[in-house]
Amino acid sequence: KKREDGPSSCYLLKDMKIIPQCDIKLGHLHFSKTHTVLVDVDIFNGGAGLIPQDGRDVWHNDFVKMPYSQSSHMKTGYTKQNNTVRWEVIYKQLRSLSKKTTASVKDLEDAIIKYNPKYKGQWSFDALSSLVKANPNGDNYSPKLFQKIAELALRLPELVKKAIPLLKRGHTAAITLSQTQIACLLANAFFCTYPHRNFSGPKAEYHNYPSINFTRLFGNSSFRKKQKLRAIMHYFQQVTAKEQTGLVTFERRCLRDTELPNWKNCNKKMHKLHVASHGTIENEGKGMLQVDFASSWIGGGVLGSGLVQEEILFIINPELIVSRLFTEKLGDKECLIVTGSQQFSNYSGFGDTFQWKDPHEERLNRDQWARLQRQIVAIDALHFKHRSEQYNMIDVTRELNKAYCGFMGHRTHEPDIATGNWGCGAFNGDKQLKAVIQLMAAAQAKRGLAFFTFEDESLKQGLQQTYHLLVTERITVDKLYILLEDYCATPQAYGSEHVDLFELIRINFSPRSLLFSLWSI
Ligand code: AR6
């Protein structure tokens, strides 16, 4: 059953565990001290739909500071009425924009600058202008779109009444909200209404949070920006045309030291592995826990010019972008798990060749909490400026813990994991080392891996052979960890690549070398 091609004991894709088969019983939707639900759970559980949970605005460091808060005032640059509540200005601007028969990029810019006066002359909107010019009546932009996004943004006080807690460092906590609430929060990000979120630098209040206002997406026109904006505009076209009907959960998971495995003492054997050189995590990995090759600042350069795996994922599933509003920078033993986000776009290419392709037709079912059966886990690998920096056990252990944090399940029936060259593109990791680290973490978490090598045929073959050896020789995680210690200790010849890990595994664990070592004892 398992053998696919050649001498590997790898599994077929169809043998991997995916969500519909796992049939996790969730029970009623409920909130708790660590799970904030922004819709009324009684109404939802009674089958009467998604109604915003009542609540009140909280202007506090533990919560998202909302644009409509009465505590948010116009400050610098708004000379006439220094104490004007900022939402009054936002409301006036967006309301008059939404009433216009035609709204140009200049109108949008003027509105945004009215409540962000400090940035007059600094923020550029040329990328947005060039998209609109190229696409006056096209697929991604219709003449009434800005008005509709403005209308949606204005519904914020009615749609999100309960304060949104920040998912802070060191705390496991979750937020569940409706897709309509997310659309409204993102419409506000589009109109750059979030207070205190435009400054960066170490003294800024949100210096440890990713940016959320869309400012950077609108300027510095480039082919990349244009493609990103096409996807974003397409998202807003869809959500303003028809209300989405589901919920999405964002969970920050933070492991305590006592929950981390002692890797030297871990006698688990390899779990299932499927390796493919073709296919992507998001397509072929449907139904599995899909790994986001993340930045510790969730979403990475999605609102700037970054356009690799994480940014693409966020651009085709724009609901993920809202995580930037409330997720503090991830620490070493933390990850973010998102359940239920919707894919709106299809794409082709990668990086500079990325192109928005067409609308994605979502065919996934929903779980008992009305969440689409898509689960994404964001884990950030270490960024190595020089490849040689990664061969030390402190970093290897950090990566093992990070992968384990993302991979571990809470229940017995969890889906397998779809991953690939995590940390090995923009972050410069060694593909073989990272593959072995992920195999070890998955073994410890007792979950299978579907590994997509992204057209790297030789990695596919090497990984299949390595896995075959590890399985047939019953090699456990602790044995691999000890081997990695040797591997890291092996000096690297000046200017050359580090020792080939798959080769080292072959030399150490193949039956002939075991016999040899027994004989030499
Ligand atoms: N499916 C499978 N494999 C893929 C896919 C896909 N959809 N896309 C890319 N790959 P990279 P990193 C492979 O560079 O090194 C972002 O800015 C492909 O071989 O995105 O962890 C984040 O925000 C690619 O080279 O991940 C972080 O700041 C490799 O995966 C940073 O990049 C790595 O993809 C993370 O960089």
Side-chain angles (χ1 to χ4, degrees), residues 144-412:
K144 287 272 179 213
L145 186 58
F146 292 157
Q147 290 91 318
K148 289 187 196 153
I149 306 175
E151 266 170 32
L152 179 59
L154 286 172
R155 293 178 64 201
L156 191 62
E158 146 218 344
L159 281 175
V160 185
K161 299 180 195 164
K162 191 174 166 59
I164 307 176
L166 294 169
L167 296 180
K168 288 194 163 187
R169 201 167 191 159
H171 300 279
T172 292
I175 302 172
T176 295
L177 63 174
S178 73
Q179 291 182 281
T180 305
Q181 289 173 322
I182 294 176
C184 175
L185 289 164
L186 289 178
N188 276 276
F190 182 88
F191 277 104
C192 308
T193 66
Y194 291 103
H196 300 195
R197 298 301 288 255
N198 296 325
F199 329 105
S200 46
K203 291 217 175 105
E205 180 181 343
Y206 286 93
H207 71 274
N208 228 14
Y209 287 77
S211 62
I212 180 65
N213 288 331
F214 278 14
T215 359
R216 282 182 59 217
L217 195 59
F218 296 150
N220 267 334
S221 184
S222 65
F223 183 74
R224 283 184 173 210
K225 283 276 176 68
K226 195 167 155 195
Q227 298 306 316
K228 286 178 153 192
L229 282 169
R230 289 179 79 187
I232 295 294
M233 296 304 204
H234 170 66
Y235 166 74
F236 281 121
Q237 295 259 53
Q238 297 289 304
V239 296
T240 53
K242 187 170 140 239
E243 283 220 356
Q244 309 311 113
T245 53
L247 293 174
V248 184
T249 301
F250 296 82
E251 182 197 355
R252 184 187 191 107
R253 180 188 285 167
C254 169
L255 292 190
R256 291 185 297 269
D257 285 341
T258 49
E259 292 172 290
L260 294 173
N262 177 355
W263 297 101
K264 255 192 182 155
N265 223 339
C266 169
N267 58 8
K268 301 252 170 32
K269 296 203 197 78
M270 294 301 107
H271 212 283
K272 284 195 304 194
L273 176 71
H274 166 78
V275 196
S277 52
H278 302 305
T280 58
I281 294 169
E282 65 278 11
N283 285 339
E284 281 66 23
K286 275 216 171 76
M288 292 183 224
L289 174 67
Q290 302 179 354
V291 178
D292 162 13
F293 303 157
S295 157
S296 52
W297 309 89
I298 191 82
V302 64
L303 298 180
S305 48
L307 202 43
V308 285
Q309 195 253 9
E310 175 166 54
E311 289 91 355
I312 294 173
L313 191 64
F314 277 53
I315 283 292
I316 62 173
N317 299 259
E319 289 163 347
L320 295 173
I321 297 174
V322 85
S323 60
R324 295 169 66 88
L325 181 61
F326 45 69
T327 310
E328 190 172 5
K329 184 175 189 245
L330 295 175
D332 285 342
K333 291 166 278 181
E334 298 182 320
C335 67
L336 185 80
I337 301 163
V338 185
T339 308
S341 69
Q342 182 169 339
Q343 181 175 343
F344 285 82
S345 295
N346 295 316
Y347 74 98
S348 64
F350 189 74
D352 285 334
T353 61
F354 172 89
Q355 282 198 46
W356 182 87
K357 205 160 120 202
D358 51 21
H360 178 79
E361 206 182 304
E362 190 64 277
R363 294 211 175 87
L364 295 179
N365 292 328
R366 293 185 185 270
D367 66 14
Q368 277 177 290
W369 293 2
R371 301 177 304 185
L372 287 166
Q373 291 183 323
R374 174 178 290 110
Q375 198 169 48
I376 291 169
V377 61
I379 46 173
D380 53 303
L382 288 170
H383 183 185
F384 301 109
K385 213 160 164 217
H386 303 289
R387 279 175 65 81
S388 58
E389 289 166 8
Q390 65 195 294
Y391 306 107
N392 68 80
M393 286 314 280
I394 292 176
D395 288 348
V396 166
T397 309
R398 186 271 183 201
E399 300 295 66
L400 279 165
N401 289 337
K402 174 66 75 166
Y404 175 72
C405 176
F407 293 178
M408 66 175 269
H410 287 306
R411 305 177 187 86
T412 38

Side-chain angles (χ1 to χ4, degrees), residues 430 432 487 497-507:
D430 178 311
Q432 296 190 7
Y487 166 76
E497 282 286 300
H498 199 80
V499 185
D500 184 308
L501 179 57
F502 290 168
E503 181 64 8
L504 193 71
I505 290 176
R506 194 184 61 75
I507 293 169

Side-chain angles (χ1 to χ4, degrees), residues 23 47 83 110 125 183 214 380 390 411 473 475 480:
D23 191 27
N83 249 344
D110 289 347
F125 293 77
F214 278 14
D380 53 303
Q390 65 195 294
R411 305 177 187 86
E473 297 308 314
I475 303 300
L480 272 171

Side-chain angles (χ1 to χ4, degrees), residues 89-98 110-111 114-115:
V89 184
I90 296 171
Y91 188 87
K92 192 172 156 217
Q93 292 304 317
L94 298 194
R95 177 125 183 99
S96 80
L97 191 108
S98 72
D110 289 347
K114 282 272 170 22
Y115 46 84

Side-chain angles (χ1 to χ4, degrees), residues 263-264 266 268-270 393 396 400 433 435-441 443 466-467 470-471 475-487 501-502 504-506 508-509:
W263 297 101
K264 255 192 182 155
C266 169
K268 301 252 170 32
K269 296 203 197 78
M270 294 301 107
M393 286 314 280
V396 166
L400 279 165
L433 175 56
V436 170
I437 286 174
Q438 292 186 82
L439 266 183
M440 291 164 71
T466 305
Y467 177 74
L470 296 175
V471 171
I475 303 300
T476 48
V477 171
D478 50 354
K479 298 262 172 0
L480 272 171
Y481 190 82
I482 291 163
L483 182 91
L484 287 179
E485 289 181 322
D486 282 349
Y487 166 76
L501 179 57
F502 290 168
L504 193 71
I505 290 176
R506 194 184 61 75
N508 275 269
F509 296 137

